[in-house]
Every structure is written in structure tokens, then in C-alpha cells.
DNA sequence: GCGGTTCACTGAACCGTTTCAGTGAACCGC
DNA sequence: GCGGTTCACTGAAACGGTTCAGTGAACCGC
């Protein structure tokens, strides 16, 4: 096996400066040593091309300067956008994000969450697929976790940015009803096994209250696959859709267009999320906006507070929905 | 400092089975030990809830089962799609991807590439911002690197999936010229410092050959920002656009719509990439398709071959472009 | 000038694995 | 029954840092 390149170790820097490795270690982190020594060490390190090995550092100290970002399903364009923006915001805080994709699978979510903990991430941001899963409680011991979307049941998280899904669902369904749609197909994201998300529960409750006739169908986020599902639902006679993700609504657009059905004339579509592309379609997709910028800021603030070992605020931030009316509902 | 939860170590498993830690280590990886011992160790490990610590393992062995994925700019929807699909393909090969975002900045690209190497990724897939940077050569020693998009200059990569940008540019410019557009604004992705990408060079060469009048303008991928740039270019009188990423073309759509200019009647737009959303716009975005599925398959095949320590194939796969005509060029 | 601090630094243990170089025992052919 | 392999396993040294418990010197007030 060819050496993957010989790098300087902390011991060589120690030798070069006549100090002990311990002193070098402290100096490089600016602790407990004189200014002059710090400078000397810094110079020697530079000269030798020394850079601390993050793996060794992680093993010894248990910290990494890294934040895990576990997404529910990265096939969702909105979650993609969220991940990218959180990644950039963390970068501005000198952390770097490890982005992972649970692919809508609760089992995979459990595995990846554990894996991130074992990787010694300083904190974890998660958009849970199954917020009711039991393992969250254990995970939250000793690892600051910030949840986005739904709160984790029975877990001492370091913070949560939750969506007021009850309000969001009400907004969407009332809008559809006000425009004369009583019979509505609800397209909700596919999950490998299907824990009922709080949001789904609200749909049924609200539909009952509003006297609407609801059919819930699961659909994938990927455009081609969502289009297929939408097509099936169209052929079942549905003409009004409430999609639990803008990505899925795009599938309805595609399916309707394929069949030559006009939006909003013949088919009404309502989204949920407000992805930037939704405004570009014609007609624009009427949707429920959660203020992605605010979510990013809140999540990063919570996670930075927790990762620095500060007091676990347990901030709970509730996002209020806003109807973004664009014309896809007749 | 509260213990982040006491986990079983390999030594405890050794004690429980009456073996040495070394034997347990071998047994868990199914090497050099009797079937019976393997079974015994496995059972003890299960009982104690033992799971090998990936950090310690990485430090000792230098391997992690992880593949780094360094994206040029994750603000680009197409690159987002690529990253997600590569991530899922790697998962199917029992690796997991660390997705990082260079944010179009060559300096950051260098830092992150080094960081991934230090994290002991088994291999690196990179969509280079600056393929001509000198550090690639050093990085490729001892770390299998697969490049997507442009080949890395002077570096011994493990493989490349390169785009035939010359052909792609020709396709796009000829299409524009054939439809009567001689004066064309080329919107190319912003880069923090601006190494001329091979693709940009081709534009000028081809434009010369075709007798076209080209103005190159850089633009960000993010919709709002791209829209701003597009608006400026529109106000400078341009009415034909060749965007070096579909994401940027979306900005032209937005800007044109805002000004009440019809596509393709008053403004012609040509994209590059073919993101799924491009087919949903009206009119659909005419673009150059690179077969994202093929790219993913090729990159993953190359990286799996290299990561397993197999012969460094140095496969070079050249992607041929295909014109996807949808109606955004008059 | 003496006890008590503070300061700058050291030695050694430790983090949890892997891997290298053995080591005895069993087995082999002859 | 003897040299040579193979087999299953062990002990100890890595891997490259951090951290804990000192240690001696300088400095302090009184």
C-alpha cells in the first residue's frame, strides 16, 4: 500500500520548536501559553505544512466543528433548497454541514442519525420523517438536536422550528373550499413505512370541520414519479388537488398538461412550501409559504447556541403560514 | 462535562468472549478466524450493544466507507439534482456520501477538498469550479478522484465523466443562429475568482466561427439574483440568451415576465443542462441535455471501482449533448 | 523571607480501533 | 516422527491528537 502522502504530525512541530506536543496543541488553539510561544509554534507549523488531523482530533476530543443535517427526503426541491441554505449559513458560522438524505425512510433515518452521532457531529439538524420514533429520545442525550418541521415526540431537543401545520392546512383547505372545491385529492409524500404525520392528521380534522370530501393519496417527490401518481388520480375523476409539497404539485401540472387539462380552468392545484420555481409556472402555483429564510436563520441560531455548549435554550419557534395566491386554484 | 453516553468498546466485547481485542476486530470483519468464533463474537457484540466507532476505525485504518461529493455550486438546481441522485446511487452501493458545496468559490473548493481528504473519504467525486487549479494533482496522489464536467488539468484522476462542451456549445449557438439570433447574451455562472472554464472558451471560438455577436455576462444560480442580472441585460437591449445553466435561464424567464416580454416572441432563451423543471415552464425551455442518469451511473461505477482499491481504470467517459427543443427560442 | 498564587509548560495516559509480527497447536506428507 | 505449513489467535505498537495532573519558576502581599 502506497503511503497516502507523509504529513507532518504535532510531534514534529514539537521537536522543531523544542516544546512538548501538549504545548503545541495548546498553542495552536490559543490556550494557556504565552503570546510569544503561540507565534513561534504558528510559524513552525506553517513551515512544516502542519495541519491538525481532524480524525485524530475528533477521537481525542470528541468534537469536530461539524453539524449534521439530516433531511427527510432530498428528492423534494424545497428540502434541497433548505439544505443548501442551511449549509451556507453554517459556513458563515465557520462550521461545515454534513448533508445526508433519509430518502423518506424511517429505518434509514435511524441509521443515519446514529451514524452522525458516531461521527461526533457537534449538533444535528433534522427534518424528521418519523417524529414519533422512539430512538430520538436516546439520541438527544448528549447530542444537541434541532428539529425542523415537526417536534420530536418525547425527546429533549435543543430547539425546534415547527410549522403550524394546523393553520397551514386550514389556509389551504379553506382556500379550495372558498373557490368551490368540495371534493379534493390530497397528495402527501410517500414514506417507506407510514407514520401518520401530524400534518396529515390535521387534514382529516379540518376537512371534517369544513364539510369537505377528502381522498388522501401518497406520492413521491420526484417529478416523473409524481406525475404518474397525479395522472392516476386525474383518471379517477379528481379535479382539485392539495399537494403536501410543491414538488408534488409540479407533478400535477405535468399530468394535467399531458391530458390537455387547463389550470386553473379544469384542474385546481394547491401546493405547500413555496419553492422559488412555483412563481415561474403559468399559472403560478398557489401555495402555503413558510418563510424559508426565517427557518434557516432560526435553525442555525438554535444550533449554534447549542453546539457551543451554551445553555440548552430549548428554543421553540413556531412558523406561521402565509397563503401565496398565484392563480392555480380556479 | 456530561458523558455523551457510555458505549461498549471492543475491549469489553473481548473480555466478554475471553478473546483478545485483535481477535474481536478480525471476527467482526470476518477475517482469519473460525466460523464458530465469529458467531460467538457477533452474539456478544449484539448483547452489549457494541458498534464499532467509525472515528477510531478511521484513525487506525485510514478508511471510512465514505465518498466525498464536492459540488461546484449547490445553488444550481441541476447540481442539486445530480448530488441527490449520486447520493442515492452510492447508498445502493453501501457507501454514504458526504455532500459539500464549494459555492462557486475556487478557494473554498481547495479547502473543502483537503478537508475531505483529511476526513479519510475513500474516494472523491468532484464537479470542479476550477479544473485548472494546481492542487488537484497533489490531491489525486493517494486519493481516488472522479471528476464530473471538466477534466482536472495535470492530475492523475481515477476517472472522468466529461461533457463534450464544444459540441454542446455548438448545438446551442447554431440553434440560436438558425432561428435568426445573431446577437446573443451568454449568461455564465458567477465564480468568485474567474478561471475561464473550457466551456466559456468554446463559446467565443464557436461564436467567431458562426459569425455571431456575443456578450458574456456572469450570473448567479439563485433565482432572485439571476433574475436581477437578466433584467440588467434585458435593459441593455439584449433579446437572445444562452444561459450556461438552466437555473440561470429561469432568471431570464422571470425577468422577461416581469417586463411583460413574451417568450419566445420577444425574447429567446436557451438553457444548458436540462433540469426536470425546464419541461414544465411555458413555453418549455429549449436546452442542452446531458443525460443526468448516465452521468450518475458512470460516476458511481468509476468511483466504486477506484474506492475498492481495484486497478485505477482511469476511465474517461465523454458525454454527448442532445438538443432538447421545447419552444423558448423563437 | 515566607506561604500562596499564577504562569508556562511537561509527561504520560487516553480516545477506540487496526495491524504487524509473532506463537503455539494441529495437521500434512513421507 | 520430523520438518514444514496452515490455522486461530495474541500482545503490543501504532494512528495523531487532547487532556489531566503535576512542576518549577516567577511574582505577590505583608
Amino acid at each position: 500500500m502506497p503511503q497516502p502522502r507523509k504529513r507532518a504530525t504535532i510531534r514534529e512541530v514539537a521537536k522543531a520548536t523544542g516544546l512538548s506536543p501538549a504545548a503545541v496543541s495548546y498553542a495552536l488553539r490559543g490556550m494557556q501559553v504565552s503570546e510569544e510561544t503561540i507565534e513561534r509554534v504558528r510559524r513552525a507549523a506553517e513551515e512544516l505544512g502542519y495541519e491538525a488531523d481532524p480524525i485524530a482530533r475528533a477521537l481525542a476530543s470528541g468534537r469536530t466543528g461539524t453539524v449534521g443535517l439530516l433531511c427527510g427526503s432530498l428528492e423534494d426541491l424545497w428540502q434541497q433548497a433548505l439544505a443548501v441554505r442551511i449549509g451556507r449559513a453554517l459556513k458563515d458560522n465557520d462550521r461545515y454541514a454534513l448533508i445526508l438524505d433519509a430518502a423518506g425512510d424511517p429505518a434509514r433515518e435511524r441509521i443515519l442519525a446514529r451514524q452522525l452521532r458516531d461521527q461526533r457531529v457537534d449538533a444535528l439538524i433534522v427534518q424528521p420523517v418519523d417524529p414519533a420514533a422512539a430512538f430520538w429520545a436516546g439520541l438527544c442525550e448528549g447530542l444537541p438536536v434541532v428539529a425542523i418541521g415537526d417536534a420530536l415526540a418525547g425527546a429533549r431537543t435543543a430547539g425546534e422550528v415547527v410549522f403550524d401545520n394546523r393553520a397551514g392546512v386550514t389556509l389551504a383547505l379553506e382556500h379550495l373550499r372558498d373557490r368551490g372545491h368540495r371534493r379534493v385529492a390530497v397528495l402527501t409524500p410517500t414514506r417507506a413505512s407510514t407514520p401518520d404525520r401530524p400534518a396529515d392528521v390535521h387534514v382529516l380534522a379540518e376537512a371534517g370541520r369544513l364539510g369537505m370530501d377528502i381522498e388522501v393519496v401518497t406520492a413521491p417527490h420526484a417529478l416523473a414519479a409524481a406525475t404518474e401518481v397525479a395522472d392516476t388520480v386525474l383518471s379517477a375523476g379528481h379535479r382539485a388537488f392539495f399537494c403536501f409539497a410543491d414538488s408534488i404539485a409540479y407533478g400535477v401540472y405535468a399530468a394535467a398538461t399531458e391530458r390537455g387539462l387547463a389550470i386553473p380552468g379544469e384542474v385546481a392545484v394547491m401546493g405547500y412550501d413555496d419553492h422559488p420555481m412555483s412563481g415561474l409556472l403559468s399559472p403560478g402555483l398557489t401555495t402555503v409559504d413558510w418563510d424559508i429564510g426565517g427557518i434557516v436563520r432560526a435553525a442555525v441560531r438554535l444550533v449554534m447556541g447549542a453546539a457551543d455548549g451554551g445553555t440548552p435554550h430549548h428554543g421553540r419557534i413556531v412558523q406561521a403560514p402565509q397563503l401565496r395566491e398565484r392563480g392555480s386554484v380556479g
Side-chain angles (χ1 to χ4, degrees), chain A:
Chain A
M1 211 169 288
Q3 287 294 80
R5 188 172 151 81
K6 200 72 187 173
R7 287 181 39 170
T9 76
I10 202 171
R11 276 171 251 268
E12 300 175 42
V13 180
K15 204 145 296 174
T17 50
L19 292 167
S20 69
V24 174
S25 172
Y26 288 132
L28 288 173
R29 286 170 300 153
M31 300 163 60
Q32 306 190 23
V33 271
S34 68
E35 281 299 327
E36 187 231 319
T37 304
I38 290 184
E39 194 42 49
R40 192 154 47 100
V41 168
R42 207 158 274 171
R43 204 163 355 243
E46 180 120 5
E47 210 153 299
L48 291 165
Y50 170 80
E51 263 177 284
D53 182 329
I55 294 280
R57 198 200 281 275
L59 180 61
S61 74
R63 264 170 271 114
T64 55
T66 269
V67 174
L69 177 51
L70 182 46
C71 302
S73 172
L74 274 184
E75 256 171 2
D76 181 5
L77 290 184
W78 189 80
Q79 293 189 44
Q80 286 177 20
L82 184 68
V84 171
R85 296 187 60 164
I86 290 181
R88 301 221 165 170
L90 284 171
K91 169 201 139 194
D92 295 339
N93 283 275
D94 290 320
R95 308 260 159 178
Y96 85 112
L98 295 184
I99 306 176
L100 294 189
D101 174 14
D105 180 354
R108 185 161 171 77
E109 177 169 72
R110 209 189 77 236
I111 293 171
L112 292 180
R114 294 246 166 87
Q115 217 155 92
L116 283 167
R117 181 243 288 145
D118 292 348
Q119 290 286 344
R120 313 281 205 286
V121 293
D122 292 348
L124 183 58
I125 303 179
V126 58
Q127 203 176 353
V129 175
D130 181 6
F135 73 93
W136 292 120
L139 197 81
C140 289
E141 317 256 316
L143 175 64
V145 175
V146 172
I148 296 182
D150 295 311
L152 302 177
R156 257 185 71 13
T157 60
E160 321 170 326
V161 186
V162 301
F163 304 165
D164 186 349
N165 279 312
R166 193 161 164 12
V169 166
T170 304
L171 228 46
L173 291 181
E174 282 186 345
H175 183 68
L176 282 163
R177 189 206 49 185
D178 291 351
R179 299 306 174 97
H181 303 285
R182 256 204 72 257
R183 178 158 176 263
V184 172
V186 174
L187 268 48
T188 189
T190 311
R191 286 177 288 278
S193 82
T194 42
D196 276 350
R197 278 212 321 196
D200 296 353
V201 175
H202 290 317
V203 168
L204 298 176
E206 279 302 290
R209 192 179 66 83
L210 297 169
M212 295 174 73
D213 176 10
I214 292 291
E215 180 173 4
V216 178
V217 179
T218 67
H221 287 288
L223 183 57
T227 305
E228 244 174 80
V229 171
D231 189 69
T232 308
V233 177
L234 276 173
S235 74
H238 280 283
R239 286 300 178 268
F241 292 80
F242 172 28
C243 302
F244 246 117
D246 280 13
S247 278
I248 298 176
Y250 301 156
V252 176
Y253 269 65
T257 304
E258 225 165 86
R259 286 179 174 250
L261 294 170
I263 299 173
E266 297 164 273
V267 175
V269 190
M270 174 93 221
Y272 204 74
D273 283 346
D274 196 24
H275 185 272
M277 292 304 293
S278 296
L280 261 197
L281 301 174
S282 36
L285 174 65
T286 294
T287 188
V288 177
D289 177 8
W290 293 104
D291 179 21
I292 193 169
I295 294 169
V296 170
R297 278 190 300 278
V300 169
R301 188 159 46 76
L302 287 170
V303 90
M304 292 307 294
D308 289 343
T311 31
H313 290 311
H314 184 77
R316 182 196 178 87
I317 291 160
V318 180
Q319 287 285 318
Q322 193 169 345
L323 188 70
R324 192 72 61 201
E325 199 176 339
R326 294 208 181 91
S328 63
V329 177

